[in-house]
Amino acid sequence: DTGVSQDPRHKITKRGQNVTFRCDPISEHNRLYWYRQTLGQGPEFLTYFQNEAQLEKSRLLSDRFSAERPKGSFSTLEIQRTEQGDSAMYLCASSFFWTSGGANEQFFGPGTRLTVL
Amino acid sequence: TQLLEQSPQFLSIQEGENLTVYCNSSSVFSSLQWYRQEPGEGPVLLVTVVTGGEVKKLKRLTFQFGDARKDSSLHITAAQTGDTGLYLCAGVSSSNTGKLIFGQGTTLQVKP
């Protein structure tokens, strides 16, 4: 197993265009998280899935953002009508969560750096 | 809302010096994770602390979780240039989401 992968690593787009990012988690992990990180800040939670169900979305996630995890494996994050304020690093993380407890350690992918011109 | 305050934000030291990074909150976390991040890459998990008062060591790095599980520290002994990077603490939310609440990060520069 090679860890969490994300594609593309870099994306440059013009304001108003739509973009889609993909995340492939560690194969046995049932939880998948999306975070956004701007320069000089720690990552901020956007949304997460347990298997194929999207269970929580942050207030940061406007209506222009949508995420899916159709078969409980890979996930996509789409941003419609991009704005310059969307420029950031988009990070995906996965974990194995079980209800009896555990630290829910999250392992991150390399991120997708989005630049909106 | 759970928040984590991390300090200092920037640290520039000479090789061989010791340093401590702090993470503080008024909230209790079920566990706390420390990450290191290189420019243009995702955070890499260093350690997870779960029990109040727990101390974990990773070579020259010592991590401690406060007794009340509201704060944590990272101590590096005899820093090396290879320790340069962004250090992030992240508390696991007490809600069932398990989402991470990150501090602002500490940028460490170790000069030769």
Side-chain angles (χ1 to χ4, degrees):
Chain A
D1 187 52
T2 57
V4 180
S5 62
Q6 291 187 246
D7 183 68
R9 293 291 310 276
H10 305 275
K11 179 70 177 179
I12 300 174
T13 191
K14 292 183 180 179
R15 191 176 52 187
Q17 298 294 304
N18 300 342
V19 295
T20 301
F21 310 141
R22 177 180 169 125
C23 171
D24 287 271
I26 294 171
S27 58
E28 63 267 25
H29 284 179
N30 56 359
R31 283 198 170 180
L32 187 149
Y33 296 81
W34 286 99
Y35 294 85
R36 181 170 68 188
Q37 185 179 26
T38 53
L39 205 61
Q41 300 294 322
E44 294 177 295
F45 168 78
L46 292 179
T47 188
Y48 91 101
F49 295 82
Q50 181 153 316
N51 300 312
E52 66 276 5
Q54 187 175 17
L55 298 185
E56 183 172 326
K57 294 193 293 186
S58 163
R59 290 189 301 272
L60 294 174
L61 216 62
S62 77
D63 292 343
R64 298 184 296 104
F65 288 71
S66 62
E68 294 182 342
R69 194 184 183 197
K71 297 182 180 178
S73 56
F74 73 92
S75 175
T76 58
L77 177 68
E78 181 184 17
I79 309 174
Q80 295 182 325
R81 305 180 304 281
T82 52
E83 302 173 355
Q84 287 183 326
D86 297 331
S87 295
M89 173 80 93
Y90 290 84
L91 294 163
C92 173
S94 71
S95 70
F96 184 77
F97 176 82
W98 66 97
T99 54
S100 59
N104 193 41
E105 291 183 329
Q106 295 182 29
F107 297 88
F108 282 81
T112 295
R113 166 74 65 189
L114 173 65
T115 302
V116 182
L117 302 176
Chain B
T1 304
Q2 293 181 293
L3 294 173
L4 263 176
E5 295 289 332
Q6 192 171 340
S7 63
Q9 280 193 277
F10 301 99
L11 200 50
S12 180
I13 61 172
Q14 295 294 135
E15 198 168 27
E17 292 183 0
N18 302 333
L19 66 116
T20 303
V21 177
Y22 299 93
C23 249
N24 294 292
S25 176
S26 57
S27 305
V28 175
F29 290 99
S30 58
S31 64
L32 195 138
Q33 299 171 15
W34 283 91
Y35 291 85
R36 181 179 157 194
Q37 187 176 23
E38 300 287 344
E41 299 294 330
V44 174
L45 181 64
L46 295 174
V47 78
T48 301
V49 285
V50 179
T51 308
E54 183 176 6
V55 177
K56 281 191 173 179
K57 292 192 175 184
L58 189 67
K59 297 183 181 177
R60 294 174 293 100
L61 278 60
T62 302
F63 304 85
Q64 186 163 7
F65 203 12
D67 291 341
R69 291 185 291 129
K70 292 182 179 181
D71 55 87
S72 182
S73 64
L74 157 61
H75 183 79
I76 300 179
T77 303
Q80 300 176 355
T81 55
D83 296 327
T84 293
L86 177 67
Y87 290 83
L88 294 160
C89 63
V92 178
S93 168
S94 54
S95 73
N96 196 37
T97 69
K99 67 185 178 186
L100 295 176
I101 312 294
F102 280 88
Q104 305 97 313
T106 296
T107 299
L108 172 64
Q109 181 188 43
V110 182
K111 295 179 283 188

